[in-house]
Structure formats: structure tokens, C-alpha cells
Amino acid sequence: MLFPKQMVHRVTDISPEDLKAKGIKGLILDIDNTLTTHDNPIPSDGVSAWLDSVRASGIQMLVLSNNHAPRVEPFAKILGLDFIAEGKKPLTGGFKRCAKALGMNRDELCIIGDQIFTDVLGGNLFGCHSILVEPIQPESTAFFKFKRFLEKIILFFYRKRA
Ligand SMILES: [Mg+2]
């Protein structure tokens, strides 16, 4: 339940052809530490070009963030994507709204995010594909450091299994 289906370094490492080969037609995208660093209004290097290539392949995308609308809306606008803010991942409500908005089944969707306890767990509870990316930048708060510590333990077993 806590294992991602797939792991990559950055979103830009994910090829649209690969996604299509897996039957994926829609992407649910996290923002913070996935498409850019926390609270950064500018997408990370290569992200805009990557989104264009995904778009060109016919795969649809939506932003699902646990962050507030004032953070999510302007960023989603830059990317030209619809969004759901305060998504409450890992609860599955936001995922269901994404599926409905895109008109797709759960097995046609893939969540891409940097956190096991929100993005991956939510995707697994919902029943879609999941790709975990490495966080772009380490967080500084104690709570986040603790979460990352727990993630490291989970990823140790994930790598052993893989
Ligand atoms: Mg994130």
C-alpha cells in the first residue's frame, strides 16, 4: 500500500510513450517538490517542455495539490492545467474528482508526486498507477524531516523487493 508502482528521479524522466504503453491516459500531478520547489511560482527546469510533450502525446493532465488555492491556482495557470487545491491526499476524494473531470477510469490514471504518505498512498487507495519522484529540494521543518525519515525506511524495503 505504501510502495509506488514506479520510481524516477524527476518528472522529466517519465516518457509519454512509456505511460501510453502502460495504458495510462491521464496524469494527476502534485506540485510542491514534484513540478517545482515548495512555494516556487516558476516550474523547474524542463518541466514546461515535458508537459508539452505529454500533451502532444494525447495524455491529459490535472493538478491535485494539498496546498491552498492561492498557491495552486497561479501555478496551474502557468502550466495551463485545471487544478484541485486542498486535495486532502491520501484521502481518495480528490482522486475521484480528477477521474470524473477527465472522464477516465482509475486504471487509466497515474498519480505523480514526491510523497509516499500523500501521493503514493492516495493513489494506491484509489487504485490508480503511481510514480514517485525524488523531492527536488530537502525540506527544513521537523515534521517533514520525520516523514522523509519514514519514507527512507519504506524505500529501503521497496528497493530490496525490486
Ligand atoms: Mg509534493
Side-chain angles (χ1 to χ4, degrees), residues 5-113:
K5 299 272 186 308
Q6 212 181 320
M7 232 187 120
V8 297
H9 178 53
R10 293 272 183 271
V11 283
T12 46
D13 296 326
I14 301 166
S15 96
E17 289 70 34
D18 237 47
L19 294 171
K20 288 176 95 172
K22 291 187 169 78
I24 292 161
K25 296 179 179 164
L27 297 182
I28 301 171
L29 302 171
D30 174 55
I31 295 180
D32 292 306
N33 247 342
T34 297
L35 299 178
T36 189
T37 48
H38 281 275
D39 296 320
N40 186 340
I42 312 291
S44 285
D45 280 355
V47 166
S48 293
W50 176 78
L51 290 170
D52 287 343
S53 71
V54 173
R55 237 182 234 119
S57 78
I59 294 173
Q60 295 188 55
M61 295 174 284
L62 247 178
V63 164
L64 176 62
S65 172
N66 281 357
N67 217 329
H68 308 297
R71 155 63 170 154
V72 179
E73 186 171 10
F75 191 80
K77 215 167 240 174
I78 289 176
L79 306 180
L81 296 175
D82 284 334
F83 69 93
I84 294 172
E86 303 197 26
K88 299 192 174 65
K89 294 174 282 185
L91 300 181
T92 55
F95 289 86
K96 285 176 189 157
R97 283 172 64 193
C98 288
K100 205 171 168 196
L102 295 173
M104 291 176 192
N105 297 322
R106 45 197 76 193
D107 60 349
E108 296 171 322
L109 291 165
C110 175
I111 170 83
I112 300 176

